[in-house]
Structure formats: structure tokens, C-alpha cells
Amino acid sequence: MQALELPITQTTHYEDNISTNEFTSQALTTNPFNVLDNSFNRIFNQNFEEKIVLQMRKMLGEKANTLTDEKVECLATEFQFLINTWLDEYERDVFGGMTLKEVLNEK
């Protein structure tokens, strides 16, 4: 039986057209856990609401530890409402009673 001679490193291209070696070296230079994080994110894709809650918890810091997920989500919704309302009010002041979407005939 004859032994097969295989190359020491084999490069396979993923969807991104990045070889395995390039991908590993890039990930390790920035953060050694990027490879794991990317893999976990592909396997356990979080839904949109969970991502919002996690982002809000990061922004709120230590105070978020005492809040439930529902309360954090409620706060995010309230903040988004205020931001949209204030932006519409500002646009109406600037564009003579019309929002930017109305000015661009998108609404």
C-alpha cells in the first residue's frame, strides 16, 4: 500500500473567499475569541428583541442588573418613541411643517 502525500496546510475557501489560514490569522490578531463568537452567532442566532435587550443592558450599565428583561425592553421602546417624536418635531421646524419624508414625497 502506497502512502498518500498530502500538503501540510490545506486551504479551503469559505463563502467569504478567505482561506482558512488567513481567516484564523486575522481573527487571532484582533481577538482570539472572534472565531468562537462567529461560530456561536451562526449556530445560536438571537432574535431581534434579545439583541435590543442585551444592547440596552450594556448601555445602562450596573443599573440594568436590577431590571427585568421586560422593563429593559419597555425602556428601549420609550426611548425610540421619544427619539422619533423629537426628530419629527425638529424636521417640521426646519422644513416648514413637513417631515423629511414628506419633503421627499416618500410618505
Side-chain angles (χ1 to χ4, degrees), residues 10-21 23-24 42:
Q10 182 178 359
T11 58
T12 53
H13 292 281
Y14 293 102
E15 296 171 5
D16 303 331
N17 293 330
I18 299 175
S19 70
T20 306
N21 294 338
F23 178 75
T24 306
R42 287 181 184 158

Side-chain angles (χ1 to χ4, degrees), residues 1-5:
M1 185 174 206
Q2 185 177 2
L4 294 175
E5 291 186 26

